[in-house]
């Protein structure tokens, strides 16, 4: 199992350079996204609003997913989760 780590780790380290933006794209991006994306940067304020909305939606979804996964709060003995957990 440890031999796999010696193979995967160098591949992942070299692969990170593939996903970084090239020099031409770095010049087109604003300071916040300069090293992360290719292509032109956001063209208007609406682009930032959309990205912010998606980030907020993702964080809220992550919060509730973890909340209900850790402490579901269902006390009914006939709930379907008990069929899975008691199998």
């Amino acid at each position: 199992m440890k031999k796999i780590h010696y193979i995967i780790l160098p591949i992942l380290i070299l692969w990170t350079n593939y996903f970084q933006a090239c020099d031409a794209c770095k010049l087109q991006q604003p300071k916040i996204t300069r090293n992360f994306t290719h292509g032109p940067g956001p063209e208007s304020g609406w682009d930032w609003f959309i990205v912010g909305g998606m980030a907020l939606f993702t964080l809220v979804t992550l919060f509730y997913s973890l909340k209900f996964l850790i402490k579901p709060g269902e006390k009914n003995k006939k709930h379907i989760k008990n069929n899975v957990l008691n199998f």
Side-chain angles (χ1 to χ4, degrees), residues 2-15:
K2 291 198 177 228
K3 291 180 182 180
I4 293 175
H5 294 282
Y6 292 120
I7 295 170
I8 293 177
L9 186 62
I11 292 172
L12 291 176
I13 289 172
L14 294 173
W15 204 14

Side-chain angles (χ1 to χ4, degrees), residues 12-56:
L12 291 176
I13 289 172
L14 294 173
W15 204 14
T16 57
N17 289 334
Y18 177 75
F19 289 109
Q20 291 179 348
C22 62
D23 293 334
C25 293
K26 286 180 186 178
L27 296 175
Q28 297 176 5
Q29 291 292 328
K31 195 172 191 178
I32 292 175
T33 60
R34 187 154 291 157
N35 289 324
F36 300 116
T37 60
H38 286 282
E43 296 176 4
S44 69
W46 285 105
D47 292 342
W48 290 111
F49 179 73
I50 292 168
V51 170
M54 289 187 305
L56 179 66

Side-chain angles (χ1 to χ4, degrees), residues 62-73:
L62 177 65
F63 170 75
Y64 281 111
S65 298
L66 292 175
K67 177 183 174 186
F68 291 124
L69 182 65
I70 294 170
K71 192 173 182 182

